[in-house]
């Protein structure tokens, strides 16, 4: 009790909150004792016949974290049942004594209220998690796919190129090379600008803050068939430095993922850990699970991690202090993701190199020039009101992070970077790496389709520089991957052909030079940015493997 009172004074809470948060007393013992002290009934889940809160047709009035609901008990009484926050116990005690309400009031555990509300309203919660964005902002959701005009323009473009090659192959080839070269060199230019303005990453200093000013922080972790990594995950999350009475860690599982749920049940989870079970329904995606879990989150600030993540213990502290020092337009912070298994093989070394360039080079440059940032899928920190304002995640987009970064920008919010990283392991086999990369490309195409449905509206949402950078980033990622093998094969074939006979027509030699210049510039800009952003101790682990960048790009 003495320790709890000291923590309460330090964190701006009360002793009861600290006792519960640190597991010094169970919810059952605390609320039973409180009921006896207040001279009111304590009810078990089996004592409640039905709950009266909310409406059956909408989520209006439904709050699954409510600490008071009206219930009909099995003995026929209808009365409010509460699980009061320990900070409000004194007020409740005075109110019950002065108004003579003890016989018409009952107490239970917060866990019981949450279970009852979830059991009654799960179809509405699931529908909201799945379709709210598609209902509220259909133009911003990937649910509907491409617009008619996008299909027509794409078809006309393909037919036009085919017709041009059939009728005027020489002119068509030249025009295509000019267009492709302009596009590729524009993509290369972004990385060259990031190289020229590169700033070596440094860990941001932290101030000593009054612990009483710290807000509630909710950490969301989605798990699906992740039973093998559960022990390491829980150990890593336990190292987070944040007051336990202000921390909520939601472990989000599919309800039928029995192995993962059983693995969590075998862990000694502190009280700040909660398991959220998502009812199985299509689409079975991470963004849908995150939306569902958000209805259980109490934090003013939200972050999310993946099952294999090892976040820096003070990452939450840095994010909160950065938000405090920023204006309200900064709605999101991205922590760098660092691959920890660099030396395992060539694939992990090149993945580490690529992520260093992205999170240590390109993203900081985008933040400095005031451009949208396509978020990484983990270690994003949000102001809750910003996340709610833009509709949270899109369950139908397989790269919900990139899409959310765009919607935050279009909603008037900026994304900034913080310095304390999250460690994770890169896939070490091609069989694991390739499906992941395929999904990313599919998602970036989805995101481009969604955000060009209304190009005039998109342009109004951002200045010209941001508009151009966004188009290059969204299209450049997957278009470069699709065309790079073709350009490389064309350059090699054209060079061989030109060595055995004189160029006819003469501009074919120029095309070959342009192709090789484009390929070389792409490799050099990518390699330079990634090498600059890679920590010196990691460069030695990558070593000679950097020359395999062309092979990596072909993959």
């Amino acid at each position: 009790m003495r320790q709890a009172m000291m923590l309460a004074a330090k964190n701006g809470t009360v002793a009861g909150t600290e006792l519960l948060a640190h597991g010094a007393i169970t919810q059952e013992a605390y609320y039973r004792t409180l009921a006896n002290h207040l001279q009111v009934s304590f009810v078990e889940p089996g004592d409640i016949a039905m709950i009266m809160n909310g409406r059956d047709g909408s989520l209006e009035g439904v709050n699954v974290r409510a600490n008071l609901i009206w219930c009909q008990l099995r003995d026929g009484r209808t009365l409010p049942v509460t699980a009061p926050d320990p900070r409000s116990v004194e007020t409740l005690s005075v109110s019950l004594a002065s108004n003579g309400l003890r016989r018409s009031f009952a107490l239970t555990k917060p866990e019981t209220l949450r279970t009852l509300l979830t059991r009654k309203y799960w179809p509405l919660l699931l529908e909201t998690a799945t379709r709210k964005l598609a209902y509220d902002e259909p133009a911003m959701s990937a649910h509907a796919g491409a617009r008619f005009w996008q299909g027509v323009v794409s078809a006309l473009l393909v037919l036009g190129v085919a017709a041009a090659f059939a009728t005027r192959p020489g002119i068509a080839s030249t025009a295509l090379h000019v267009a492709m070269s302009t596009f590729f060199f524009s993509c290369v230019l972004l990385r060259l600008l990031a190289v020229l303005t590169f700033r070596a990453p440094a860990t941001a200093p932290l101030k000593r803050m009054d612990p009483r000013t710290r807000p509630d922080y909710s950490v969301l972790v989605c798990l699906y068939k992740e039973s093998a990594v559960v022990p390491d995950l829980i150990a890593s999350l336990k190292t987070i430095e944040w007051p336990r009475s202000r921390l909520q860690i939601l472990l989000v599982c599919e309800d039928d993922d029995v192995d993962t749920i059983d693995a969590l049940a075998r862990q000694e989870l502190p009280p700040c850990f909660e398991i959220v079970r998502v009812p199985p329904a299509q689409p079975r995606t991470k963004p849908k699970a995150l939306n569902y879990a958000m209805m259980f989150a109490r934090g003013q600030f939200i972050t999310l991690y993946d099952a294999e993540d090892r976040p820096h213990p003070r990452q939450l502290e840095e994010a909160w202090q950065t938000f405090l020092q920023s204006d309200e337009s900064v709605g999101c912070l991205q922590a760098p993701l660092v691959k920890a298994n660099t030396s395992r093989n060539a694939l992990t070394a090149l993945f580490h190199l690529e992520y260093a360039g992205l999170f240590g080079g390109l993203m900081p440059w985008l933040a400095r020039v005031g451009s949208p940032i396509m978020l990484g899928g983990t270690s994003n920190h949000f102001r809750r009101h910003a996340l709610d304002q833009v509709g949270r995640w899109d369950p139908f987009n397989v790269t919900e992070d990139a899409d959310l970064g765009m919607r935050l920008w279009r909603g008037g919010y900026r994304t900034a970077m913080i310095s304390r990283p999250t460690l994770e392991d890169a896939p070490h086999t091609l069989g694991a790496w390739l499906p992941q990369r395929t999904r990313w490309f599919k998602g970036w195409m989805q995101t481009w389709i969604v955000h060009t449905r209304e190009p005039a509206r998109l342009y109004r949402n951002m200045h010209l520089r941001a508009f151009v950078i966004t188009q290059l980033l969204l299209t450049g990622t997957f278009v470069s991957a699709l065309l790079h093998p073709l350009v490389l094969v064309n350059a090699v074939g054209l060079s061989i052909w030109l060595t055995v006979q004189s160029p006819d027509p003469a501009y074919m030699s120029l095309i070959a030079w342009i192709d090789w210049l484009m390929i070389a510039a792409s490799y050099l800009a990518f390699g330079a940015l990634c090498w600059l952003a890679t920590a010196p101790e990691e460069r030695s682990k990558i070593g000679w493997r950097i020359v395999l960048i062309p092979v990596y790009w072909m993959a």
Side-chain angles (χ1 to χ4, degrees):
M1 180 61 75
R2 195 157 45 239
Q3 289 177 334
M5 291 173 70
M6 290 171 62
L7 282 169
K10 177 183 176 181
N11 295 327
T13 59
V14 295
T17 300
E18 299 297 338
L19 289 168
L20 288 166
H22 288 83
I25 188 171
T26 64
Q27 284 190 9
E28 176 85 18
Y30 179 83
Y31 284 97
R32 276 192 180 277
T33 306
L34 181 60
N36 289 335
H37 173 69
L38 297 176
Q39 299 175 28
V40 299
S41 302
F42 180 86
V43 296
E44 299 278 7
D47 299 330
I48 300 173
M50 62 183 297
I51 62 175
M52 318 295 289
N53 285 45
R55 301 177 181 177
D56 291 334
S58 75
L59 273 178
E60 184 180 354
V62 177
N63 172 16
V64 290
R65 299 212 66 84
N67 61 8
L68 185 148
I69 60 175
W70 280 84
C71 299
Q72 182 178 331
L73 303 185
R74 297 199 183 277
D75 61 13
R77 291 182 295 162
T78 299
L79 74 176
V81 176
T82 184
D85 186 293
R87 289 170 292 185
S88 64
V89 165
E90 187 175 348
T91 304
L92 177 62
S93 178
V94 172
S95 178
L96 290 174
S98 61
N99 296 310
L101 296 174
R102 287 193 172 94
R103 291 186 176 275
S104 56
F105 225 83
L107 260 63
T108 191
K109 299 181 296 183
E111 184 181 292
T112 298
L113 296 186
R114 176 182 142 180
T115 300
L116 291 170
L117 287 164
T118 305
R119 189 179 298 159
K120 178 172 183 178
Y121 294 110
W122 73 263
L124 286 174
L125 299 174
L126 188 60
E127 179 73 5
T128 301
T130 306
R131 302 193 181 274
K132 188 176 189 304
L133 180 65
Y135 290 156
D136 294 348
E137 275 281 7
M140 294 289 188
S141 171
H143 179 253
R147 293 280 174 88
F148 175 74
W149 74 265
Q150 291 173 304
V152 170
V153 169
S154 301
L156 290 176
L157 185 62
V158 172
L159 289 173
V161 170
F165 270 95
T167 55
R168 295 286 191 274
I171 297 174
S173 178
T174 304
L176 184 62
H177 269 78
V178 169
M180 285 175 53
S181 300
T182 302
F183 175 78
F184 277 116
F185 280 123
S186 298
C187 294
V188 170
L189 181 62
L190 295 183
R191 285 171 173 78
L192 285 176
L193 290 172
V195 169
L196 294 173
T197 60
F198 178 76
R199 300 175 186 174
T203 303
L206 296 177
K207 298 179 180 178
R208 293 192 64 175
M209 306 292 290
D210 183 350
R212 291 173 297 179
T213 63
R214 286 192 176 92
D216 286 349
Y217 220 119
S218 291
V219 176
L220 277 56
V221 186
C222 286
L223 303 106
Y224 184 61
K225 297 184 178 179
E226 302 280 8
S227 57
V229 301
V230 161
D232 290 339
L233 170 68
I234 301 303
S236 179
L237 294 175
K238 285 180 179 179
T239 67
I240 292 175
E241 295 182 15
W242 197 259
R244 288 301 177 258
S245 54
R246 302 284 192 182
L247 181 64
Q248 178 193 35
I249 298 177
L250 298 179
L251 304 169
V252 189
C253 305
E254 294 288 327
D255 195 42
D256 56 358
D257 185 6
V258 178
D259 290 342
T260 303
I261 294 172
D262 286 348
L264 290 172
R266 291 192 294 270
Q267 297 294 310
E268 293 184 8
L269 297 179
C272 62
F273 285 70
E274 300 176 36
I275 298 174
V276 176
R277 301 171 68 140
V278 183
Q282 296 296 331
R284 299 187 70 137
T285 58
K286 175 183 172 182
K288 185 202 73 177
L290 288 170
N291 285 341
Y292 188 88
M294 275 294 292
M295 289 176 272
F296 298 84
R298 69 168 191 263
Q300 297 165 250
F301 295 93
I302 307 291
T303 189
L304 59 144
Y305 295 119
D306 285 340
E308 70 276 11
D309 287 354
R310 284 95 73 194
H312 190 286
R314 305 210 73 192
Q315 191 181 107
L316 268 62
E317 181 73 24
E318 183 185 354
W320 172 60
Q321 291 195 24
T322 305
F323 277 128
L324 284 182
Q325 296 160 17
S326 308
D327 59 49
E328 287 291 315
S329 67
V330 176
C332 176
L333 299 171
Q334 173 68 63
L337 304 181
V338 177
K339 298 302 178 183
N341 56 341
T342 312
S343 56
R344 175 149 190 174
N345 57 32
L347 187 61
T348 60
L350 291 170
F351 206 144
H352 180 104
L353 189 72
E354 180 183 17
Y355 259 43
L358 178 60
F359 290 95
L362 186 60
M363 280 187 175
W365 176 76
L366 292 172
R368 288 196 299 271
V369 301
S371 175
I373 292 178
M374 271 44 85
L375 303 175
T378 175
S379 305
N380 318 133
H381 297 257
F382 302 97
R383 297 186 195 270
R384 184 182 186 127
H385 67 79
L387 191 56
D388 291 340
Q389 185 70 30
V390 300
R392 301 176 183 172
W393 294 271
D394 183 0
F396 298 95
N397 192 315
V398 296
T399 49
E400 73 290 339
D401 42 7
D403 169 68
L404 182 55
M406 281 294 298
R407 280 190 287 113
L408 282 165
W409 174 270
R410 297 183 68 176
Y413 295 100
R414 293 186 297 113
T415 298
M417 302 292 295
I418 55 177
S419 62
R420 285 166 174 79
T422 294
L423 301 180
E424 59 181 20
D425 290 337
H428 61 272
T429 64
L430 193 63
W433 177 87
L434 195 58
Q436 181 191 71
R437 194 55 55 110
T438 305
R439 177 178 62 81
W440 289 356
F441 286 146
K442 174 185 175 181
W444 280 59
M445 284 189 275
Q446 275 187 306
T447 301
W448 181 78
I449 288 170
V450 167
H451 291 282
T452 53
R453 285 171 176 163
E454 299 175 348
R457 180 183 174 189
L458 175 63
Y459 182 76
R460 288 195 302 271
N461 290 155
M462 54 182 63
H463 49 73
L464 179 60
R465 180 178 60 190
F467 180 83
V468 172
I469 290 174
T470 298
Q471 293 301 315
L472 288 174
L473 286 174
L474 282 176
T475 57
T477 302
F478 61 85
V479 170
S480 297
L482 288 169
L483 296 184
H484 171 257
L486 300 179
V487 173
L488 192 59
V489 169
N490 183 73
V492 171
L494 196 56
S495 298
I496 293 172
W497 178 62
L498 291 173
T499 58
V500 298
Q501 66 178 54
S502 55
D504 182 28
Y507 60 75
M508 295 302 289
S509 180
L510 178 61
I511 288 176
W513 278 105
I514 290 174
D515 281 355
W516 281 116
L517 180 61
M518 185 164 57
I519 292 167
S522 299
Y523 292 155
L524 288 173
F526 175 83
L529 180 61
C530 294
W531 194 255
L532 278 174
T534 300
E537 62 272 16
E538 296 295 330
R539 291 175 185 170
S540 60
K541 298 177 183 177
I542 296 169
W544 63 269
R545 296 185 181 98
I546 193 171
V547 302
L548 297 176
I549 287 175
V551 179
Y552 188 66
W553 279 27
M554 286 295 285

